[in-house]
């Protein structure tokens, strides 16, 4: 036997004999241009012939194929699931033993690069004139792409449900206890019943329709698979609506409860009538070859370029949904059956073949217009035949319907988009853990935002780092009980902060492994509302204390009168009398703000529950573009809210209305939406937000956003009011002088700074990057309470200067007898014209009512009291306050 392709063809002639007619020559030509691998073997397992397509299908050179036997170890054969490929399952052994054809036997091999390929094999025996087995012919199709896509689709669907989908043809889902069956797929095509009629057929009615001679065997196979907890596969005859029987291949699995009892049965019924009847009808080896081509639903075509004649095999007609006995296929009719854009691509490929003699063929996927009125996808391959002078004379090839593969591809994309839309844009935090290693595998944006981790941190997370010890024990008990009820526990953020949460747990398959999903809902806002109620009650109780403090302030005023001579010398210190006279008003204003904000929060609590539920349901129903807009708006809500004057508000409403009218909105709607947008205080109405205003759920979204902003405004108002009262009281207490009778104590500079950073944690996490450069310095002699006020003033001034977005660098450095503490921010800097004034009392650049001008004056006096000094350097983008404190007594 020769090892080259040219040398292999005479062996076929010798093997088959001289009796083959011209039709055999046509079959040889078809085999040479076919995209399916065609292999001929003798009864000893030696490969006598392999067509050119075998190289691409089997991924090895033709000469290497011809040098091997069917069971050569170089093939590295395995079953589809990676297990051993048993001899009794191999198509060569089956055909050799039974002398009958086989169809669609699947297994896997590895090519020369170690890449796994999945194959489908159809085979037939070839007999000589006296009926003796002469050779065996096999058609091998590369199904790798379909197998991998099917596995990918199953993995994607497993992310959000645990149902195994066997989407072959006619799918059923049987509840074993009740006998109720759910049907889907090609019901009418297989049984003749409409889907509505067939959904009424339960388990008993289904069993009645199985042929009496096949029923006992089918039931036995089901029971064995159930007992052994394995998949089942059986073939039986099944009665259709018109009383005829079709051959059904039934494949499926059982699901088992915690006690090991089967409670559900999933399966897919495939109509194998065509293949089985075709195999029974095979009598001659040439017919078997043609029927094998038909079994893989591959059509054959040829085009005489000069005569413009077109030949189609019956399978080609079927792929297009046309009647082979109908009108003949002409060039003009062929053009109308194909998508125009794809037709141009095919024409371009054919032209390249004509112009370039080195090219042997083309392969392209294109759309065709099927007779059922739908667009189908086909894979078309063609080879050009030239005459002795090199002139193109005939184009021959094959066509294969790949619509199912395209639909699977689209189903995978749609499934993944649906999952990601729910998973990433949900307001609830989701975290997925491996059940065995208890390591995190995936998390969504809401989880990362809630816990303070990045997406890259997820792979290193363990469940115990996210929960308090008591909560971890509750979670373990919930998993052990396999309960689906939600529980309230305490979670820990990355920074160690503990917060209450409502957690739901579910087991499911994720990327072929057992996984546990956690749904986490932050209960902090609801807890904060309750705390605000308590705060309001405490404030009312402290009103009397404030009145008492007013009396103390009057006494302080009497003391300050004694410093009148000094105050008269300073024009700004003369304002002290006005400050004290209005102190009651200054304190009552923030108290009134707390009361008003608390009332607003009570109203917010009543509306938020329903609004948030409507929002979560609505966001899953809108297109991805609207989801991205909402995600952007929600992520920016922690930025400072814009407040407008009356005139600015009217101008913005007018401008927003004009923009909406330009985009086609009615005047009344434009007026309503423009006003709602201004009230949100988000900023300009840019074009990128317009798709949101066309949403069916716009009013649901606007209502929810308004409540989110209302919550932030009221909590911010309360915090500002409390800070305002605290600052006024502290400022007045320490304004004229500090307690010189107090004694210094040993305290850590690092700890006093960290205390202030903890107080401002909420403001820092919005958009501030804190960089700490601390030297190891032992505690020094100081007034720690006064130093807290120094860091509070300087840090908060930096945050305000940066509008709560930027970089804050804090440095503690050992300078021998002194300790240097520097605070550097990335704000706009301090105008050189006012730098000499910032430490003067009552000097402030803040709007009226927001600053007393005493903060930096007090900072300066505290530093001086310690015997230290304070320096300032500032330029746009960098402002540095440097405080030098002595380590010993002063």
């Amino acid at each position: 036997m020769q090892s080259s392709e040219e040398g292999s063809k005479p062996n076929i002639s010798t093997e088959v004999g001289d009796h083959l007619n011209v039709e055999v020559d046509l079959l040889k030509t078809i085999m040479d241009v076919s995209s399916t691998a065609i292999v001929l073997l003798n009864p000893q397992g030696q490969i006598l012939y392999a067509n050119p397509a075998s190289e691409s299908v089997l991924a090895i050179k033709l000469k290497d194929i011809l040098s091997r036997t069917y069971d050569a170890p170089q093939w590295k054969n395995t079953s589809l699931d990676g297990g051993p490929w048993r001899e009794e399952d191999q198509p060569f052994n089956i055909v050799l033993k039974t002398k009958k054809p086989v169809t669609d036997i699947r297994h896997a091999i590895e090519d020369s690069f170690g890449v796994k390929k999945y194959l489908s094999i159809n085979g037939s025996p070839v007999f000589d004139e006296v009926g003796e087995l002469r050779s065996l012919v096999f058609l091998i199709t590369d199904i790798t792409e379909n197998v991998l896509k099917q596995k990918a689709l199953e993995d994607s669907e497993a992310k959000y449900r645990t149902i195994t989908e066997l989407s072959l043809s006619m799918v059923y889902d049987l509840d074993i206890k009740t006998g109720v069956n759910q049907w889907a797929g090609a019901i009418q095509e297989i049984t003749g019943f409409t889907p509505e009629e067939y959904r009424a057929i339960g388990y008993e009615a289904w069993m009645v329709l199985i042929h009496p001679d096949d029923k006992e065997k089918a039931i036995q196979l089901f029971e064995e698979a159930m007992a052994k907890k394995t998949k089942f596969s059986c073939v039986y005859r099944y009665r259709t609506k018109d009383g005829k029987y079709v051959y059904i291949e039934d494949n499926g699995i059982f699901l088992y409860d915690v006690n090991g009892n089967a409670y559900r049965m999933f399966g897919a019924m495939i109509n194998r009538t065509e293949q089985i009847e075709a195999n029974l009808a095979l009598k001659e080896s040439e017919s078997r070859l043609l029927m094998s081509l038909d079994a893989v639903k591959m059509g054959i075509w040829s085009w005489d370029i000069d005569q413009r004649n077109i030949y189609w095999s019956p399978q080609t007609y079927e792929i297009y949904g046309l009647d082979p006995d109908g009108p003949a296929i002409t060039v003009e009719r062929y053009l109308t059956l194909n998508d125009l854009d794809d037709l141009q691509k095919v024409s371009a490929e054919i032209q390249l073949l004509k112009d370039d003699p080195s090219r042997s063929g083309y392969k392209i996927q294109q759309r065709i217009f099927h007779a059922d009125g739908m667009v189908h996808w086909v894979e078309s391959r063609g080879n050009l035949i030239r005459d002795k002078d090199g002139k193109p004379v005939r184009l021959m090839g094959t066509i294969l319907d790949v619509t199912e593969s395209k639909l699977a591809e689209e189903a995978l994309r749609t499934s993944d988009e649906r999952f990601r839309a729910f998973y990433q844009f949900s307001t609830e935090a989701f975290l997925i853990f491996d059940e065995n290693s208890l390591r995190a595998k995936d998390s969504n944006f809401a989880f990362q935002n809630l816990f303070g981790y990045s997406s890259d941190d997820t792979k290193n997370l363990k469940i115990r780092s996210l929960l308090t010890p008591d909560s971890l024990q509750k979670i373990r008990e919930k998993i052990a009980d396999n309960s689906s009820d939600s529980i309230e526990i305490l979670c820990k953020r990355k920074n160690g902060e503990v917060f209450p949460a409502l957690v739901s747990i579910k087991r499911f398959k994720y990327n072929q492994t057992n996984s546990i999903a956690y749904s986490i809902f932050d209960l902090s806002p609801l807890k904060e509302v309750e705390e605000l109620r308590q705060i309001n009650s405490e404030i009312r109780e402290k009103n009397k204390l404030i009145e008492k403090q007013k009396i103390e302030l009057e006494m302080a005023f009497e003391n300050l009168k004694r410093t009148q001579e000094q105050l008269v010398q300073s024009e700004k210190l003369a304002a002290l009398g006005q400050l004290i006279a209005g102190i009651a008003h200054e304190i009552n204003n923030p108290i009134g703000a707390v009361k008003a904000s608390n009332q607003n929060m009570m109203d917010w609590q009543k509306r938020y529950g329903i609004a948030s539920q409507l929002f979560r349901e609505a966001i899953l129903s809108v297109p991805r573009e609207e989801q991205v807009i909402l995600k952007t708006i929600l992520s920016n809500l922690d930025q400072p809210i814009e407040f407008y004057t009356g005139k600015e508000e009217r101008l913005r409403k007018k401008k927003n209305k004009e923009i909406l009218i330009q985009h086609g909105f009615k005047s009344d709607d434009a007026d309503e939406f423009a006003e709602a947008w201004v009230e949100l205080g988000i900023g300009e109405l840019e074009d990128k937000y317009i798709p949101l205003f066309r949403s069916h759920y716009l009013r649901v979204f606007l209502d929810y956003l308004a409540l989110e902003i209302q919550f932030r405004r009221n909590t911010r108002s309360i915090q500002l009011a409390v800070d305002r009262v605290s600052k006024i009281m502290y400022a007045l207490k320490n304004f004229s002088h500090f307690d010189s009778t107090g004694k210094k104590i040993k305290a850590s500079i690092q700890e006093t700074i960290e205390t202030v950073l903890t107080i401002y944690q909420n403001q820092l996490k919005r958009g501030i990057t804190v960089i700490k450069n601390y030297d190891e310095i032992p505690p020094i002699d100081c007034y720690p309470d006064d130093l807290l006020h120094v860091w509070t003033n300087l840090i908060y001034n930096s945050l305000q200067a940066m509008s709560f977005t930027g970089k804050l660098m804090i440095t503690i450095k050992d300078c021998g007898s002194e300790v240097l503490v520097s605070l550097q921010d990335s704000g706009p800097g301090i105008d050189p014209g006012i730098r000499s004034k910032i430490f003067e009392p009552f000097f402030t650049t803040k709007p009226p009512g927001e600053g007393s001008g005493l903060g930096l004056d007090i900072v300066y006096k505290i530093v001086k009291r310690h015997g230290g000094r304070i320096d300032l350097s500032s330029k746009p983008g960098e402002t540095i306050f440097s405080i030098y404190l002595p380590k010993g007594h002063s």
Side-chain angles (χ1 to χ4, degrees):
M1 180 173 67
Q2 299 184 28
S3 61
S4 68
E5 182 182 351
E6 294 297 327
S8 66
K9 290 183 179 178
N11 289 337
I12 295 178
S13 300
T14 302
E15 189 68 34
V16 174
D18 298 332
H19 71 284
L20 297 177
N21 54 22
V22 179
E23 292 181 358
V24 174
D25 294 331
L26 175 60
L27 288 175
K28 294 177 184 176
T29 304
I30 292 171
M31 288 189 290
D32 287 342
V33 302
S34 173
S35 61
T36 300
I38 302 175
V39 180
L40 187 71
L41 299 92
N42 63 20
Q44 288 73 42
Q46 296 174 318
I47 299 176
L48 304 176
Y49 166 77
N51 70 335
S54 300
E55 284 192 345
S56 61
V57 173
L58 300 177
I60 63 172
K61 295 295 183 181
L62 195 61
K63 64 179 181 180
D64 294 329
I65 297 174
L66 296 173
S67 67
R68 296 182 183 180
T69 60
Y70 85 96
D71 57 353
Q74 294 94 327
W75 295 115
K76 297 182 179 179
N77 293 310
T78 65
S79 62
L80 280 185
D81 59 6
W85 201 33
R86 302 180 304 177
E87 289 189 5
E88 58 267 28
D89 295 333
Q90 298 172 12
F92 179 86
N93 293 334
I94 296 173
V95 175
L96 191 67
K97 179 179 180 180
T98 64
K99 307 298 189 295
K100 294 180 181 180
V102 294
T103 59
D104 195 23
I105 294 182
R106 302 184 176 193
H107 79 298
I109 64 171
E110 286 188 13
D111 63 16
S112 57
F113 299 102
V115 177
K116 188 176 286 293
K117 296 176 71 69
Y118 298 93
L119 305 175
S120 172
I121 300 178
N122 298 276
S124 297
V126 180
F127 301 98
D128 58 17
E129 303 84 30
V130 297
E132 293 295 327
L133 180 65
R134 181 170 59 210
S135 56
L136 300 88
V137 64
F138 294 96
L139 279 76
I140 307 171
T141 305
D142 185 351
I143 60 172
T144 303
E145 183 178 358
N146 286 345
V147 170
L148 294 179
K149 285 181 179 179
Q150 181 63 25
K151 289 185 176 182
L153 176 59
E154 292 174 354
D155 287 345
S156 177
E157 291 295 330
K159 293 176 184 176
Y160 60 92
R161 62 175 180 265
T162 57
I163 301 175
T164 303
E165 194 70 26
L166 300 173
S167 55
L168 295 177
S169 186
M170 180 174 158
V171 182
Y172 60 86
D173 177 1
L174 170 64
D175 187 319
I176 295 177
K177 293 182 179 180
T178 64
V180 175
N181 235 341
Q182 301 294 328
W183 300 92
I187 297 172
Q188 192 161 4
E189 291 84 348
I190 294 178
T191 69
F193 293 94
T194 66
E196 291 74 19
E197 293 172 333
Y198 212 76
R199 288 192 182 106
I201 294 181
Y203 177 74
E204 296 297 333
W206 174 40
M207 296 302 296
V208 169
L209 295 175
I210 298 178
H211 195 284
D213 294 341
D214 299 338
K215 185 180 302 184
E216 183 177 351
K217 180 180 178 182
I219 293 175
Q220 182 181 355
L221 285 172
F222 294 153
E223 291 177 348
E224 288 178 355
M226 184 188 302
K228 296 178 181 179
K229 297 186 178 180
T230 61
K231 298 178 181 179
F232 61 83
S233 179
C234 61
V235 177
Y236 50 79
R237 286 165 289 179
Y238 196 76
R239 191 170 75 242
T240 62
K241 185 176 182 180
D242 60 7
K244 297 180 179 179
Y245 281 92
V246 294
Y247 284 92
I248 294 294
E249 179 182 339
D250 195 344
N251 298 283
I253 60 172
F254 293 92
L255 293 184
Y256 303 87
D257 59 23
V258 294
N259 298 319
N261 299 319
Y263 69 95
R264 295 180 75 179
M265 175 180 179
F266 292 91
M269 298 168 59
I270 308 168
N271 189 344
R272 294 297 190 191
T273 304
E274 183 178 355
Q275 297 94 320
I276 293 175
E277 291 182 348
N279 291 334
L280 293 175
L282 292 178
K283 295 181 181 179
E284 300 294 334
S285 61
E286 293 85 356
S287 297
R288 293 191 181 98
L289 177 59
L290 290 175
M291 293 303 292
S292 297
L293 284 172
D294 184 64
V296 295
K297 299 189 180 299
M298 181 178 292
I300 303 170
W301 56 269
S302 68
W303 174 37
D304 189 314
I305 297 176
D306 291 334
Q307 300 297 324
R308 292 172 59 84
N309 292 332
I310 295 177
Y311 164 76
W312 275 9
S313 70
Q315 187 62 49
T316 305
Y317 279 95
E318 184 176 341
I319 289 173
Y320 278 84
L322 300 175
D323 183 1
D325 298 327
I329 297 298
T330 63
V331 173
E332 291 72 21
R333 188 182 181 196
Y334 171 77
L335 296 176
T336 65
L337 297 174
N338 295 268
D339 179 84
L340 182 59
D341 293 338
D342 292 349
L343 196 60
Q344 292 175 350
K345 296 178 184 177
V346 176
S347 299
E349 290 289 338
I350 294 175
Q351 191 60 47
L352 287 174
L353 280 178
K354 292 181 178 180
D355 297 340
D356 186 358
S358 65
R359 293 172 64 93
S360 60
Y362 71 85
K363 170 186 173 183
I364 192 170
Q365 289 190 350
Q366 64 182 94
R367 290 162 290 185
I368 65 171
F369 301 128
H370 194 273
D372 62 8
M374 304 294 291
V375 173
H376 287 211
W377 281 88
V378 298
E379 181 176 283
S380 178
R381 297 174 182 255
N383 289 76
L384 187 64
I385 299 176
R386 302 175 184 269
D387 61 16
K388 61 182 179 179
D389 299 322
K391 176 186 176 183
V393 295
R394 180 178 292 275
L395 193 66
M396 303 183 65
T398 61
I399 185 171
L400 182 67
D401 191 328
V402 294
T403 303
E404 182 179 352
S405 174
K406 283 290 184 179
L407 292 178
E409 195 174 295
E410 177 64 20
L412 175 62
R413 184 188 65 80
T414 302
S415 172
D416 192 62
E417 286 183 356
R418 184 171 64 248
F419 171 75
R420 285 293 162 190
F422 170 76
Y423 184 63
Q424 288 297 340
F425 292 99
S426 174
T427 56
E428 295 183 25
F430 284 96
L431 183 63
I432 299 175
F433 271 86
D434 183 273
E435 187 172 0
N436 296 322
S437 68
L438 291 182
R439 285 191 177 273
K441 299 164 65 176
D442 198 7
S443 66
N444 69 345
F445 175 79
F447 170 83
Q448 296 155 18
N449 187 51
L450 178 60
F451 281 81
Y453 290 99
S454 68
S455 58
D456 294 334
D457 294 333
T458 300
K459 60 187 176 186
N460 297 319
L461 289 178
K462 286 200 171 185
I463 189 64
R464 64 171 177 266
S465 64
L466 303 174
L467 304 172
T468 63
D470 290 342
S471 297
L472 180 61
Q473 182 60 33
K474 290 182 180 179
I475 290 294
R476 288 172 174 169
E477 292 172 357
K478 182 67 62 175
I479 294 175
D481 295 341
N482 201 25
S483 173
S484 59
D485 296 335
S486 300
I487 58 172
E488 186 173 338
I489 61 172
L490 292 177
C491 297
K492 289 194 298 185
R493 294 188 172 93
K494 184 178 181 179
N495 61 11
E497 180 183 348
V498 176
F499 66 95
L502 191 67
V503 176
S504 298
I505 307 168
K506 182 174 178 60
R507 280 192 173 96
F508 72 112
K509 281 280 188 180
Y510 181 75
N511 289 339
Q512 304 298 316
T513 60
N514 295 326
S515 302
I516 301 175
Y518 295 86
S519 169
I520 307 166
F521 184 76
D522 185 7
L523 296 177
S524 298
L526 299 180
K527 300 290 185 181
E528 288 175 1
V529 170
E530 184 61 30
E531 290 174 2
L532 286 173
R533 286 181 178 175
Q534 296 177 5
I535 290 172
N536 185 47
S537 176
E538 292 174 2
I539 289 175
R540 287 196 298 267
E541 291 296 327
K542 291 181 180 179
N543 278 339
K544 294 180 180 179
L545 178 60
I546 293 174
E547 292 296 327
K548 181 180 178 182
Q549 289 174 338
K550 285 175 63 179
I551 296 174
E552 293 176 356
L553 289 174
E554 290 173 357
M555 295 175 63
F557 176 65
E558 291 299 323
N559 292 332
L560 288 172
K561 278 184 179 180
R562 290 191 288 270
T563 64
Q564 185 174 10
E565 246 181 73
Q566 179 183 352
L567 295 176
V568 170
Q569 294 174 5
S570 172
E571 187 177 84
K572 289 185 178 179
L573 289 177
L576 177 61
Q578 297 178 358
L579 178 64
I580 295 176
I583 191 61
H585 178 71
E586 289 292 334
I587 294 177
N588 285 332
N589 279 345
I591 291 176
V594 171
K595 291 180 179 179
S597 298
N598 183 62
Q599 184 60 41
N600 290 339
M601 292 301 292
M602 294 173 68
D603 176 64
W604 173 88
Q605 184 184 17
K606 296 176 183 177
R607 299 172 52 200
Y608 183 76
I610 296 176
S612 61
Q613 178 64 29
L614 293 175
F615 175 82
R616 287 196 294 271
E617 295 174 355
I619 197 172
L620 299 179
S621 305
V622 299
R624 179 179 176 82
E625 182 181 18
E626 295 178 24
Q627 295 173 351
V628 172
I629 293 173
L630 287 167
K631 177 183 175 182
T632 302
I633 294 173
L634 286 170
S635 65
N636 290 331
L637 285 184
D638 283 334
Q639 301 299 322
I641 302 167
E642 294 190 27
F643 295 92
Y644 313 120
T645 64
K647 183 177 180 180
E648 288 176 339
E649 182 174 344
R650 289 192 297 272
L651 289 175
R652 286 184 179 268
K653 287 180 181 178
K654 181 179 179 182
K655 182 177 179 181
N656 290 347
K657 181 177 179 180
E658 291 172 352
I659 292 173
L660 290 170
I661 290 176
Q662 289 174 3
H663 283 85
F665 288 87
K666 295 180 181 179
S667 178
D668 291 344
D669 291 340
D671 190 63
E672 176 190 349
F673 299 156
E675 181 175 357
W677 191 259
V678 170
E679 290 177 354
L680 290 179
I682 296 174
E684 295 290 343
L685 177 54
E686 302 175 19
D687 289 343
K688 65 181 181 180
Y689 295 124
I690 294 300
L692 181 64
F693 286 88
R694 303 187 188 281
S695 174
H696 176 70
Y697 298 100
L698 172 61
R699 287 177 175 82
V700 172
F701 294 147
L702 289 178
D703 186 41
Y704 178 79
L705 292 174
L707 287 172
E708 286 285 347
I709 291 175
Q710 179 186 350
F711 177 80
R712 285 163 174 79
R713 284 177 175 170
N714 284 287
T715 54
R716 181 172 178 268
S717 295
I718 292 172
Q719 184 60 49
L720 289 174
V722 173
D723 290 346
R724 179 69 175 153
V725 171
S726 175
K727 288 182 179 180
I728 291 172
M729 296 302 298
Y730 191 92
L732 288 172
K733 177 182 176 182
N734 298 281
F735 174 70
S736 59
H737 69 279
F738 293 94
D739 184 7
S740 60
T741 62
K743 293 184 179 180
K744 291 183 178 179
I745 62 173
K746 293 285 186 181
S748 168
I749 298 297
Q750 296 95 318
E751 289 182 3
T752 60
I753 293 176
E754 288 299 320
T755 298
V756 176
L757 292 177
T758 301
I759 293 172
Y760 287 119
Q761 180 62 34
N762 287 334
Q763 288 86 349
L764 292 171
K765 71 181 182 182
R766 294 179 184 175
I768 299 295
T769 300
V770 179
I771 301 173
K772 303 175 185 178
N773 298 317
Y774 294 172
D775 284 356
E776 289 292 334
I777 299 176
I780 68 171
D781 293 323
C782 64
Y783 303 104
D785 290 342
D786 289 347
L787 289 181
L788 284 174
H789 192 72
V790 172
W791 314 140
T792 299
N793 271 281
L794 294 178
I795 290 175
Y796 193 73
N797 285 349
S798 294
L799 299 184
Q800 286 184 314
M802 294 186 289
S803 298
F804 296 91
T805 301
K807 181 171 69 176
L808 176 63
M809 181 182 296
I810 304 175
T811 301
I812 304 176
K813 188 174 181 181
D814 192 338
C815 298
S817 62
E818 293 181 315
V819 175
L820 167 63
V821 178
S822 70
L823 295 97
Q824 175 182 332
D825 66 59
S826 59
I830 300 174
D831 188 342
I834 66 171
R835 290 179 191 172
S836 62
K837 304 177 182 180
I838 64 172
F839 292 109
E840 296 180 7
F842 296 105
F843 180 82
T844 179
T845 59
K846 299 176 182 177
E850 291 190 14
S852 64
L854 300 176
L856 289 178
D857 172 56
I858 294 173
V859 168
Y860 179 79
K861 290 181 179 179
I862 291 174
V863 174
K864 285 296 183 182
R865 184 187 180 196
H866 280 77
R869 66 186 188 278
I870 181 168
D871 295 335
L872 166 66
S873 66
S874 182
K875 62 182 180 180
E878 180 183 277
T879 297
I880 305 175
F881 282 90
S882 300
I883 297 92
Y884 294 86
L885 300 172
K887 292 182 178 178
H889 293 280
S890 63

